[in-house]
Amino acid sequence: MSETPILRVENLSKSYGDLQVLKSVSFDVYKGETKAFIGPSGTGKSTLLRCINQLTVPDSGSVYLNGEEITHSGAKINEYRQKMGMVFQNFNLFDHLTAVRNVEIALLKVKKMDKAEARKKAMFELERVGLADRADYYPAQLSGGQAQRVSIARALAMDPDVMLFDEPTSALDPELKREVLEVMRKLAADGMTMLIVTHEMHFATSFATDILFMENGEIVERGRPADIPTSPSFERTRAFMGTYQE
Ligand SMILES: Nc1ncnc2c1ncn2[C@@H]1O[C@H](COP(=O)(O)OP(=O)(O)O)[C@@H](O)[C@H]1O
Ligand SMILES: [Mg+2]
């Protein structure tokens, strides 16, 4: 019997009016894999992540988390969403809450942890992203890189099965990208299962298990990063990488 994928995406399609943004996208994600999605902007990468956690409802197709279908799951979707940590380009932190409060709030409100337990867990996750010493800072007092690491800690606090990153470093200055990328690299090394939409080619290819190249709503090329330089199935990826300067 083969292992059940943590996440199965099956024939996901989505249109906005006449524009078909996702065209029957399918892939499986196994525990510990890091899949990097690259490709030109406007090709449906964000829509794909949003359809996976049902922030956007796909027109057709299915998503399974640990073998259970989460599409059409109604109210239960909130439970499934907790298992999929989402990290956005613009952090989406609460400005009026300190770093540690941002991390613990869902533990208190959603997981109904008691205060001491939530604080302990929040501090553990801040430690994990190297920010224990910034626990009492407000988002405005943090650099963009630190704010993004807080939002990663917030997602990790829910003990997700899979982390979804949508261009997590795109809003950051080059010197701040690195600290966020290093946190992600460490997560991957620790066995976290991750889907990452990114333009950071060097980073994506340095530790992703798979590269998936999207164009016009389809995954047009996919394979192992090591095969990009030579494999004929990575022609478009190579061309894209050639035009994209980091
Ligand atoms: N809510 C929406 N309503 C209408 N069009 C949308 C919406 N969200 C995305 N789109 C369109 O879908 C296409 C894919 O968008 P997106 O998934 O954000 O691409 P990417 O993340 O690859 O840049 C774009 O043409 C975008 O304008
Ligand atoms: Mg996008």
Side-chain angles (χ1 to χ4, degrees):
M1 203 177 83
S2 62
E3 192 191 349
T4 307
I6 281 197
L7 189 72
R8 162 160 288 181
V9 171
E10 209 170 70
N11 302 321
L12 270 193
S13 293
K14 177 73 187 174
S15 295
Y16 288 112
D18 290 340
L19 181 68
Q20 196 176 358
V21 176
L22 291 181
K23 301 172 184 164
S24 199
V25 171
S26 300
F27 57 89
D28 287 342
V29 187
Y30 289 89
K31 189 168 171 46
E33 285 187 322
T34 292
K35 292 200 186 290
F37 292 82
I38 61 172
S41 56
T43 53
K45 303 182 298 297
S46 294
T47 303
L48 174 61
L49 291 192
R50 295 173 62 85
C51 282
I52 287 173
N53 68 10
Q54 307 290 296
L55 287 172
T56 294
V57 180
D59 297 333
S60 59
S62 305
V63 178
Y64 301 86
L65 190 65
N66 292 312
E68 288 181 46
E69 183 167 8
I70 67 172
T71 23
H72 320 294
S73 60
K76 226 183 154 200
I77 189 59
N78 288 321
E79 208 174 296
Y80 292 125
R81 268 196 200 121
Q82 289 176 37
K83 295 276 144 209
M84 296 182 279
M86 183 92 176
V87 176
F88 300 92
Q89 186 174 326
N90 291 316
F91 328 138
N92 289 9
L93 295 175
F94 291 115
D95 291 332
H96 65 291
L97 297 180
T98 61
V100 69
R101 294 281 293 142
N102 265 285
V103 177
E104 73 185 7
I105 190 150
L107 299 175
L108 295 165
K109 306 263 178 199
V110 182
K111 291 225 169 185
K112 312 287 183 199
M113 274 187 191
D114 70 47
K115 276 187 181 173
E117 196 188 355
R119 180 57 56 105
K120 192 169 159 218
K121 175 74 167 157
M123 286 307 299
F124 173 84
E125 299 301 348
L126 282 176
E127 182 80 49
R128 203 163 155 188
V129 299
L131 287 176
D133 61 338
R134 294 292 187 273
D136 296 324
Y137 284 52
Y138 287 89
Q141 299 171 308
L142 299 171
S143 72
Q146 290 170 339
Q148 189 60 298
R149 283 148 67 199
V150 172
S151 81
I152 292 171
R154 176 182 56 183
L156 290 172
M158 302 300 278
D159 292 327
D161 289 331
V162 54
M163 290 279 285
L164 312 176
F165 293 89
D166 193 358
E167 299 200 37
T169 60
S170 294
L172 303 176
D173 293 336
E175 69 270 23
L176 298 178
K177 287 181 198 278
R178 182 185 305 271
E179 65 189 51
V180 173
L181 295 174
E182 283 312 316
V183 164
M184 293 166 66
R185 187 195 304 278
K186 193 164 140 267
L187 284 179
D190 288 348
M192 179 57 74
T193 309
M194 313 204 283
L195 268 53
I196 306 173
V197 173
T198 183
H199 286 297
E200 304 293 324
M201 296 308 162
H202 171 70
F203 163 75
T205 53
S206 73
F207 76 88
T209 40
D210 299 270
I211 301 288
L212 299 95
F213 186 76
M214 280 187 76
E215 206 171 55
N216 299 324
E218 290 177 281
I219 297 169
V220 293
E221 297 180 346
R222 64 177 99 189
R224 295 179 308 140
D227 296 332
I228 290 178
T230 52
S231 166
S233 63
F234 269 131
E235 256 170 62
R236 280 190 264 189
T237 305
R238 270 198 302 278
F240 180 71
M241 288 172 76
T243 58
Y244 213 92
Q245 295 302 313
E246 280 171 41

